[in-house]
Structure formats: C-alpha cells, structure tokens
Amino acid sequence: MGFELGSVLTKLGMVSTSDHSSVVSMNLFVALLCACIVLGHLLEEHRWMNESITALAIGLCTGIVILLTTGGRSSHILVFSEDLFFIYLLPPIIFNAGFQVKKKQFFRNFMTIMLFGAIGTLISFGIISLGAIHFFKKMNIGSLDIGDYLAIGAIFSATDSVCTLQVLNQDETPLLYSLVFGEGVVNDATSVVLFNAIQSFDLSHIDSSIALQFIGNFLYLFVTSTMLGVLAGLLSAYTIKKLYFGRHSTDREVAIMILMAYLSYMLAELFYLSAILTVFFCGIVMSHYTWHNVTESSRVTTKHAFATLSFVAEIFIFLYVGMDALDIEKWRFVSDSPGKSVGVSSILLGLVLVGRAAFVFPLSFLSNLTKKSSSEKIDIKEQVTIWWAGLMRGAVSMALAYNQFTRAGHTQLRDNAIMITSTISVVLFSTVVFGLMTQPLVRLLLPPPKPFTSMISSEPNTPKSFLVPLLGNGEETETEQASHNVPRPTSLRMLLSTPSHTVHHYWRKFDNAFMRPVFGGRGFVPFIPGSPTEQNLGQWR
C-alpha cells in the first residue's frame, strides 16, 4: 500500500512538473508576442521592417538563447503541431482576409485574380515539381517518391505577399493592390487543395485515368469548398436578420458571427474539403450580408476583433518559425553534409523564381488582351512587382512541409530532415532578404505621385492598417452605381473585354432583387424598436 501511494505521488509530481514547464513556456511565448508588437510599433515609420521580419528576428534570437541555456539540446519552447496551425491559427487569418476585403475591387478584377491565383499556381506547381524531380534525383538526397516531389511543388507554390502589401497603396495603385491581395489568398487555397489532392491519391503508378481523377478531385474540392463557405455565410445572415439578437444583447450577435465562421472552417475539415477556401468565401458573404444585419456597436466590435485575432495569429506563426529554424534535432541529420542542404535550398529558391516568372508575364499578356482601357492593363513595372510579391514563402509552406515530412513535429529520416531544413532556409531567406528589398524595389518601379506623397492620414494605425484601403466593408452607394454607364454585352469579345463593369452591374441587379430582401445587407435591414442602436441614439437627442 505504501509503495502504491509513493508511486502515485511520484507520478503526480511528474505531472505537476510538466504542467509547470508548460506554464513557463506559455508565459515566455506571450511575452515574446508582446515584444513583437512593441517593436513593430516602434518600427512603424520604417516600413521595410514589418511585423513578420520582426517576429522572425526575435524568434531566431530567442532560439539562440535557449540553445545556449540548454547546452544545445533544444531551441524552442513549443513543439510544432499541424493541428495548432490549421485548426487554431490559420482560420482567423484567412477569414479576416475575406471578411474585410473590399468586394468591389476584388470582384472587378476577379477573372485576373483567378487567372493568377489558380492557373498560375498550377503552372508554378508543375515547374517546381518537375525541377525537383530532375535535380534531386541527381543529388541522391534520399528515398523520395513521386508523391513527395509533387508535395514539394505544392509546398513551394504557396506565397506570402504581406511584405509587398505593406508597401503598396490602394489609392495610388488600386489595380495592382487588388491583384496582389486577391492572388495571395486564392494561391494559398489552391496550394492547400493541391496538397490535399496529392495526399489522397496513390501516385506510385500514374496513368491517364489517375490524372483525370486528380483533376476532377481538384475541381470538386475547389467548387464544393466555395459553395460551403457561401452557404454558411448566407445561413448566418438569415439567422441574424430573422432573430435580430441585437434587440437584447450585442454579445450574442458577435458570438454567433464568430462561431458560424469557425463552424464553416471545421465543417470543411470534417468533409475533407479546402477549409481555406470555405472560410475565405464565408468571410466575404458575411461582410456583404451578415455584417449589415447587426447593430452599430457589433459592427465595430467584429471588425476590430477579427483583425486583432488575425494579427496575433500571424505574429505567433512567424515567431515560432524563427525559433524552430534552429531546432538542433533537424540540423543534426544534415550536419554531415551541409553543402547538400545548401544546394537543395538554392535549387528550391531558383525554382521558385523561375516558376513565378513562368506564369506572371504570360498570363499578364493574356489578361491585357481582354482589356480595352490602358488604365486596366498591367504594365511591365506592375508585372515585375506582382512577380516579386509572390517570391516570399511563409507559414503555409512551413505547415505543409511539416505535414508531409514530419510525424508529430519530429523528424527521424535524413531525407525528410533535409526537406524540412531546406524549407526553413527558403522561408527565412525569402522573408528577410526579399522582404527588406521590397520597399526600395517598389519605390523604384512605382514612385508615388506628388499628390499622394503629401497626404498624411490623421487616423491612428491599426495592426492591419496597411490593408485598410482595400479591406473596407464599404460598397458603392446607389448614386455611384447609377453613375456607371454599363453597356450591354453584344458579343463574347465585348463581355471578355469589359467583364468587371458588366458582371458587377448584373450581379448588383440580381442582389438587390432577390438576395438582399431575403438575407439582408446594406439598406435592407428594418430598424427594430428597442435595439441598442436606437437606445444609444435616444440618449443624444
């Protein structure tokens, strides 16, 4: 009996020690997050040093300190988990991108965005995969199969255009900004859909039937994921419009919006769809209908809440990437052949450069053929900027690499360790080096006009202030809509040459006639007596 009691107490002591170490780790990580925010604020005027680079630098420095204090045994305080990334950190980032996107600009350039984000990603995926097969087989880095090579193509097709978005100005270059922003979101979704499709097929014996099934599965994931997001957004709009929670509590309105958005993401995961596409289009639909159905206080709360959650999640990811870059476990496997690891990283970086150029310039040429107005065409300087914006690799590439080449965050095979360390090297190099060069390059290619250089915003910056010009929930007023003299398409060529105005015009008519009367939206929500909004207005009368 005494032995059993002693054994239980020993186990409880071990659990207590483990829990305490977890508490210490979380305290340190939260303190580092605060440090990233403070430094980001102090460096606000130096836009070449964004929060991503700041978080990476702090993570690297922290990793060095932990390595020294632990005698080289560990460099991070948290073990990477795909569940942590895909279930908790990625949803608020992608949802906020859709929720606060300026829909008029996004859908006006929708065809070009889809051309770059979907078709362009497929081209980049093909080039990177073929290049990896050609070069890595000659280098004899390990027993990688065809599925691994295709996964490498999907991993390094996922871009991170945050650095460029921080420098661009929507008022100066509205077309360029909307293309870079929209393509970045669609690109991430396409890359993840590709990655999921690769993992769901046995690619050891590829034939025409397997290829057709692969393409069909890709299109199925793309369409069904989008439709699920739209349906979830419409359901939230209809529920809030009919029940009008704001009569009694604005907290319920905010809670139902957050939970419905997260539910759409988890439903996509449950049915093995692309959760990124689902939650992105759920965000767009919620901002178009649901957001206008809630009270004024709930509108302000939701905009800032979603932006803040997204901001903290992004910093968390980059901070961890910086710390994990020095993980001694992974580097130990490649310590005997550092030259090979550097060679793999260099080849991957070169393939990223070539793969990006292979679709940006040809697809820009095709897009320009359908445009009549010179203001809608993408000139060569803007094409170079778009090419550069997609060279950075970030959190999505890291998460996909961990999913493919590790088990529970750990690597035990040499070839897998080489791919993980190479991915870390590419992410660090592209984010820091290309990120630091972004502002000088953009200012060289696209110098701001004089009227804009003298304009200084009087509003305080938010964590996502660089996205505010494009990311508003503002839409055209009825007067602005009426001012557009939209010609009816008389031919297919005319429809293709003026897709933005024509499609937007007919969608607006359909939206006002059928959608908004059912699901609410701007100008279609009745004012209900007793709502918190009316009570607040009554206090000021």
Side-chain angles (χ1 to χ4, degrees), residues 70-139:
T70 59
R73 291 191 301 272
S74 176
S75 68
H76 49 74
I77 53 181
L78 295 175
V79 177
F80 185 86
S81 167
E82 292 88 359
D83 290 341
L84 174 66
F85 178 82
F86 283 105
I87 303 300
Y88 301 109
L89 297 178
L90 192 60
I93 297 174
I94 302 300
F95 177 81
N96 186 62
F99 183 74
Q100 303 207 40
V101 68
K102 191 172 182 182
K103 296 173 290 298
K104 176 185 171 184
Q105 284 291 345
F106 181 82
F107 287 104
R108 174 165 291 180
N109 302 301
F110 185 74
M111 294 306 297
T112 307
I113 288 172
M114 293 302 296
L115 195 65
F116 284 163
I119 305 301
T121 302
L122 292 175
I123 295 173
S124 178
F125 159 76
I127 290 176
I128 294 174
S129 298
L130 292 174
I133 293 172
H134 177 74
F135 290 108
F136 292 168
K137 282 188 175 181
K138 292 182 178 180
M139 296 179 66

Side-chain angles (χ1 to χ4, degrees), residues 132-439:
I133 293 172
H134 177 74
F135 290 108
F136 292 168
K137 282 188 175 181
K138 292 182 178 180
M139 296 179 66
N140 190 26
I141 63 172
S143 57
L144 298 178
D145 57 27
I146 185 64
D148 291 324
Y149 289 120
L150 293 179
I152 290 171
I155 288 167
F156 289 96
S157 296
T159 65
D160 187 352
S161 54
V162 170
C163 293
T164 308
L165 288 173
Q166 285 186 315
V167 178
L168 294 178
N169 187 300
Q170 160 68 3
D171 296 322
E172 299 173 16
T173 54
L175 171 64
L176 182 61
Y177 196 102
S178 62
L179 289 179
V180 171
F181 173 81
E183 187 231 336
V185 176
V186 178
N187 165 272
D188 285 345
T190 305
S191 299
V192 175
V193 169
L194 272 173
F195 187 82
N196 292 338
I198 290 166
Q199 290 193 322
S200 63
F201 277 93
D202 180 13
L203 300 172
S204 56
H205 304 287
I206 298 180
D207 53 24
S208 58
S209 62
I210 292 292
L212 289 175
Q213 289 179 21
F214 181 82
I215 295 172
N217 188 52
F218 174 80
L219 295 176
Y220 165 78
L221 287 175
F222 212 95
V223 174
T224 52
S225 301
T226 301
M227 293 306 299
L228 178 60
V230 172
L231 290 175
L234 291 177
L235 178 61
S236 70
Y238 185 80
T239 302
I240 289 180
K241 179 175 180 289
K242 286 298 182 182
L243 300 181
Y244 201 81
F245 297 97
R247 285 178 297 182
H248 307 297
S249 170
T250 58
D251 297 339
R252 290 173 183 154
E253 288 183 320
V254 177
I256 199 70
M257 287 185 69
I258 294 175
L259 292 175
M260 287 292 290
Y262 192 65
L263 179 62
S264 71
Y265 187 92
M266 295 311 300
L267 282 175
E269 288 286 337
L270 178 65
F271 295 116
Y272 301 101
L273 302 176
S274 172
I276 291 180
L277 266 180
T278 297
V279 79
F280 176 71
F281 279 97
C282 179
I284 290 180
V285 173
M286 276 194 174
S287 70
H288 188 66
Y289 298 110
T290 313
W291 190 77
H292 294 286
N293 295 347
V294 300
T295 58
E296 287 294 331
S297 58
S298 295
R299 295 179 190 179
V300 175
T301 302
T302 51
K303 284 179 70 70
H304 287 286
F306 290 137
T308 302
L309 288 172
S310 172
F311 174 68
V312 173
E314 284 186 5
I315 293 180
F316 188 103
I317 291 169
F318 278 100
L319 181 61
Y320 179 83
V321 169
M323 297 175 64
D324 193 63
L326 299 175
D327 183 15
I328 199 68
E329 175 189 294
K330 301 178 183 66
W331 290 103
R332 187 181 293 118
F333 284 95
V334 299
S335 59
D336 59 334
S337 55
K340 184 170 290 188
S341 180
V342 172
V344 171
S345 301
S346 302
I347 289 172
L348 288 172
L349 203 57
L351 290 174
V352 166
L353 294 169
V354 175
R356 183 75 184 168
F359 77 83
V360 168
F361 300 106
L363 294 185
S364 297
F365 175 76
L366 291 177
S367 177
N368 288 340
L369 291 179
T370 65
K371 309 292 184 182
K372 286 186 176 181
S373 173
S374 59
S375 62
E376 295 180 348
K377 294 185 177 181
I378 311 170
D379 62 38
I380 187 62
K381 292 184 177 180
E382 291 176 330
Q383 292 176 31
V384 173
T385 305
I386 294 172
W387 170 74
W388 183 267
L391 295 181
M392 275 70 81
R393 295 297 179 267
V396 174
S397 294
M398 285 290 298
L400 295 181
Y402 271 95
N403 185 281
Q404 179 70 21
F405 297 110
T406 68
R407 296 294 177 269
H410 297 283
T411 307
Q412 299 298 333
L413 299 176
R414 179 175 175 275
D415 51 333
N416 287 355
I418 290 177
M419 295 314 306
I420 290 293
T421 54
S422 299
T423 303
I424 292 172
S425 300
V426 171
V427 169
L428 287 176
F429 183 87
S430 62
T431 302
V432 176
V433 177
F434 293 162
L436 292 176
M437 294 171 60
T438 297
Q439 187 180 43

